[in-house]
Amino acid sequence: MSIRVLSHRDVHRLLPPAECAAAMREALTALAAGRIHQPDRRPVLDPPGAAGLLGLMPAYLAGDEPAYGLKAVTLFPGNTARGLDSHQGAVLLFDGATGRARALLDASAVTEVRSAAVTAVATDLLARRDARVLAVVGTGVQGRAHVRALAGVRGFERIRVAARDAAKTRRVCAELAAELGRPVEPCSSVREAVAGADVVVTATDAAEPVLRREWLAPGCHVNAVGSAVATTRELDGATMAACDVFCDSVAAVRAEAGDYLLALREGAVGPDLLRASLGEVLTGAAAGRSGPERLTLFESVGLAAWDLVAALHAVARAERLGAGSVVPY
Ligand SMILES: NC(=O)c1ccc[n+]([C@@H]2O[C@H](COP(=O)([O-])OP(=O)(O)OC[C@H]3O[C@@H](n4cnc5c(N)ncnc54)[C@H](O)[C@@H]3O)[C@@H](O)[C@H]2O)c1
């Protein structure tokens, strides 16, 4: 018996942003069709005094080539100061016919690439066709991945970035500009970055809102990616109330998303706020944007389904190319 191991670098090579977005379209469609099974709530072990937590994200894909996936992901906020990704761990892929462990992948890379790819699909589905200005809040792993993944979704003429640390924001913008071969503008505040923006991404680990309703231009599409737990949020209640809200999974948002749960608790929104899942919009079961002046929101929690399908694509490609390491098991 053997198992294929895909490192951080392998995953990035095997899942470039556009290909991962195509895989995430398949995942969204499969989830909307009921072919992916996953728990609504992710078991999390968060012991008092521990430096980080461990979350378990299992999923099953039914069909001709069934598969189980399990992401065991750790979240260590102190890692960023050490130059490490705050999200660590592994994705295990199992053959759905025999249960055999087929592959082990670096979870940091899978999480980074698949989250931004789902946002790229959401932006393509929900942002206005003539969107020209992109603003990304956050210069961490997700902020950078989102600039890379969204740069090609619309003909953006300007890409702006803001975060807490001005010097880091300038450095990250210079690195992304060199990588993408186009200007990426550092902004001194979130308000400055989002002024007049057509698409906004919040990808921070903030506990309190970083975005205010009054800063958003008419017709803006917002992707709320960070702070995806029940006790923290990036958006104020007024933004939640003003937007047509779409999500990766209605059940997951109701169980885990602080943007929604805290706005609900303070009475800014009602329980019927969530319009539809992205998969329902993609398959035509639900309508998306209803007018050029509407504010739309993609509330992203991040699902085991995305990890499973991203891993399946990376592993299938690795098997074709002979990539990664095959070790006895
Ligand atoms: N929805 C998903 O699928 C998904 C997937 C992975 C991570 N996440 C979440 O996304 C968030 C970011 O993850 P990461 O790996 O990039 O973290 P990170 O630690 O690498 O980066 C966090 C960033 O947030 C910025 N920030 C924090 N507070 C801010 C504020 N008040 N104003 C402006 N910027 C602020 C920091 O400056 C930093 O750039 C985390 O909350 C993480 O749990 C969500």
Side-chain angles (χ1 to χ4, degrees):
M1 297 277 276
S2 62
I3 189 168
R4 189 173 297 268
V5 178
L6 300 183
S7 68
H8 193 88
R9 183 183 283 220
D10 292 331
V11 172
H12 275 286
R13 280 200 190 128
L14 293 161
L15 276 182
E19 289 181 27
C20 192
M24 292 303 98
R25 282 179 178 267
E26 288 174 26
L28 284 156
T29 306
L31 186 65
R35 287 195 290 115
I36 298 186
H37 302 259
Q38 60 183 0
D40 293 339
R41 192 178 278 273
R42 301 172 277 200
V44 173
L45 191 59
D46 189 8
L53 60 80
L54 171 70
L56 296 178
M57 298 174 67
Y60 173 74
L61 173 69
D64 296 340
E65 288 183 45
Y68 276 106
L70 171 65
K71 181 165 81 171
V73 61
T74 57
L75 179 56
F76 279 63
N79 275 5
T80 310
R82 299 184 187 104
L84 290 172
D85 191 333
S86 54
H87 293 66
Q88 298 287 328
V91 180
L92 254 174
L93 193 61
F94 302 90
D95 184 299
T98 62
R100 187 183 63 86
R102 181 177 165 200
L104 181 74
L105 299 85
D106 174 77
S108 299
V110 173
T111 305
E112 176 184 344
V113 177
R114 66 69 153 152
S115 309
V118 174
T119 305
V121 176
T123 302
D124 193 30
L125 284 173
L126 295 170
R128 291 194 332 269
R129 285 282 131 206
D130 62 353
R132 289 291 174 266
V133 179
L134 167 66
V136 175
V137 184
T139 49
V141 172
Q142 286 298 327
R144 295 191 303 266
H146 275 76
V147 171
R148 291 185 191 105
L150 267 64
V153 169
R154 290 280 190 275
F156 289 117
E157 288 160 3
R158 299 183 68 178
I159 301 177
R160 304 179 189 148
V161 175
R164 264 181 318 204
D165 178 337
K168 183 179 175 192
T169 304
R170 285 195 296 276
R171 178 173 56 74
V172 166
C173 285
E175 287 166 7
L176 286 167
E179 187 183 321
L180 299 173
R182 59 186 296 176
V184 179
E185 305 165 36
C187 294
S188 54
S189 69
V190 176
R191 184 175 192 160
E192 181 192 329
V194 305
D198 303 304
V199 174
V200 171
V201 176
T202 55
T204 76
D205 57 356
E208 299 295 332
V210 295
L211 199 63
R212 301 271 164 208
R213 159 72 187 94
E214 59 268 26
W215 299 345
L216 297 175
C220 180
H221 170 67
V222 179
N223 299 289
V225 175
S227 306
V229 293
T231 50
T232 63
R233 62 174 169 178
E234 297 183 293
L235 308 186
D236 64 352
T239 301
M240 294 302 289
C243 288
D244 294 336
V245 183
F246 301 86
C247 55
D248 35 18
S249 149
V250 171
V253 168
R254 288 200 172 125
E256 296 188 0
D259 285 331
Y260 167 71
L261 292 169
L262 298 175
L264 187 66
R265 191 189 301 165
E266 69 192 21
V269 303
D272 55 353
L273 177 76
L274 305 170
R275 292 235 160 175
S277 72
L278 218 48
E280 290 171 308
V281 178
L282 186 62
T283 57
R289 167 173 288 278
S290 59
E293 300 283 299
R294 302 294 298 182
L295 293 174
T296 53
L297 166 63
F298 170 51
E299 179 64 41
S300 168
V301 173
L303 304 180
W306 313 154
D307 298 310
L308 169 58
V309 175
L312 278 168
H313 275 259
V315 169
R317 200 152 173 236
E319 286 171 352
R320 283 199 302 278
L321 299 174
S325 317
V326 177
V327 296
Y329 184 66

